[in-house]
Amino acid sequence: MARLGVLLFLVQIVLAVCALISCLSAEEGKIRALPRIAWVLIILFFPLVGSIAWFIVGREPTAGARKGWPGVTGGGERQRPRPMAPDDDPEFLRSVEERAQQQDQELFQRWEEDLRRREDDLRRRDGEPPREGDRPEV
């Protein structure tokens, strides 16, 4: 009988800790019936009853609890399209790729201009005139 008492005591403590964490991490708009401080005090002073009350009355049900089965719409609710992550959006990925190609092209052109300028400076230093005909057009 003592083991059962210890087990029930541990279950009560775990339930109280979970309820306290849930209460303290809940958004302000999701707390019902009482202010947060009142719920914390109820959970601390009456761990078993307070914890059960918090999970039943104190917090708003989660979205999953209201929906029912996944993929099934009930009660005439319209399902809104889920927001898409940027890395799942083909248009976003296309724009990122185009931007990267444009930046690469601009960088390549700057490198070519810098290389031409350096070659012309070396030719001038050596006494040769810059040669325009040898350069490929890009």
Side-chain angles (χ1 to χ4, degrees):
M1 188 69 182
R3 289 182 188 172
L4 182 61
V6 170
L7 181 65
L8 290 177
F9 176 74
L10 289 176
V11 168
Q12 176 182 342
I13 296 299
V14 169
L15 185 64
V17 168
C18 291
L20 197 58
I21 290 171
S22 174
C23 179
L24 292 174
S25 64
E27 295 178 14
E28 196 63 41
K30 303 283 183 178
I31 300 174
R32 297 189 307 183
L34 296 172
R36 183 187 316 260
I37 190 70
W39 280 114
V40 169
L41 293 174
I42 290 171
I43 293 169
L44 287 176
F45 290 126
F46 309 103
L48 183 62
V49 175
S51 301
I52 293 171
W54 164 253
F55 286 119
I56 293 174
V57 178
R59 65 180 184 150
E60 233 178 66
T62 59
R66 278 185 264 151
K67 278 186 184 175
W69 293 97
V72 177
T73 58
E77 292 181 22
R78 282 184 31 206
Q79 276 194 347
R80 285 179 250 140
R82 290 180 52 207
M84 193 178 289
D87 58 344
D88 291 338
D89 185 8
E91 184 177 327
F92 175 77
L93 293 175
R94 209 173 8 260
S95 71
V96 169
E97 185 177 332
E98 289 172 359
R99 192 177 329 132
Q101 286 178 351
Q102 181 182 6
Q103 289 173 347
D104 290 347
Q105 189 67 22
E106 290 171 0
L107 183 62
F108 181 69
Q109 287 176 353
R110 282 188 300 214
W111 283 349
E112 279 190 339
E113 290 170 3
D114 185 48
L115 181 61
R116 284 183 189 144
R117 184 183 50 78
R118 288 179 186 204
E119 285 178 347
D120 289 344
D121 289 346
L122 285 174
R123 285 193 179 111
R124 280 190 205 112
R125 195 170 23 143
D126 292 341
E128 296 178 31
R131 294 184 284 184
E132 292 293 325
D134 292 345
R135 295 190 192 141
E137 291 297 321
V138 178

